[in-house]
Amino acid sequence: MNTGQPEEEGRPIGRRVFLGTLGLGALGVISAPTLQRGLESFLGGAADKDPTGLTGLLPNGGGFRYYSVASSVPRKNAENYRLTVDGLVDRPASYTLADLRSMPQTRLVRDVQCVTGWRVPDTPFEGVRLSRLLDAAGVRAKGTAVRFTCFDGTYSESLTLAQARRADVLVALRMRDEDLGHAHGGPVRLYVAPMYFYKSAKWLSGITVTEDVRPGYWEERGYDVDAWVGRSNGRDDEPTS
Ligand SMILES: Nc1nc2c(c(=O)[nH]1)N[C@H]1C(S)=C(S)[C@@H](COP(=O)(O)O)O[C@H]1N2
Ligand SMILES: [Mo]
């Protein structure tokens, strides 16, 4: 029987579900009025075109929602994936997937927390510490920030150099003890454990050391650049876990 409910998992995601997951979640969690107005006009003006491209529940996603601001993303594999490290460094580099897999791997188990309110507890991520890649590249004295670009051609993120050097920031190859699938940003995504999940850029293709922090995709649209979980985006309480 058709109940008229659009929330069923696995269905194509239409406008109502999009508004439910991103719109209400974001507006409920974030209290900054300028950001609310920005989101409202953003949603109101473009919801029919589904501005995020695809946003919704991922079938068998275990509580994850699938996010992409690009409507289609090329697939990359061990043959054609490359991660470049460049900018204010002495030794720019280009890594294959095999290169990254051959480096020491770090496994972290933390809660994933999206700024719109959903959380996936105790999620293992595994990969190479970003600090290791930065050390290998030799960051020059003028470098104080790191910019991340993605092979979806649209998304970007950034961190201060100090944030990027934290031990809980990974260039992640695995999630939930499996190789990162395409939907979750595979084969390689950034994983910034202490910050809201929008910092964890999917489909990572470039790491560039820069002089200044350049706000990323969502940050140009109102989210905090320093996205500490529980201490940013209008939240002042630690989330219960
Ligand atoms: N390239 C790219 N990375 C991205 C996003 C995106 O749209 N494109 N969305 C961000 C947001 S808001 C979240 S909550 C997570 C979602 O990751 P998931 O799709 O694996 O659940 O990815 C982050 N990284
Ligand atoms: Mo998010």
Side-chain angles (χ1 to χ4, degrees), residues 211-232:
E211 246 176 290
D212 301 298
V213 170
R214 222 180 310 165
Y217 182 91
W218 282 118
E219 294 145 14
E220 286 179 330
R221 290 157 179 79
Y223 287 99
D224 287 353
V225 177
D226 292 326
W228 306 108
V229 170
R231 290 192 276 132
S232 64

Side-chain angles (χ1 to χ4, degrees), residues 22 67 113-116 118 197-198 218:
L22 176 63
Y67 278 78
Q113 176 74 56
C114 175
V115 73
T116 59
W118 55 274
F197 207 27
Y198 64 85
W218 282 118

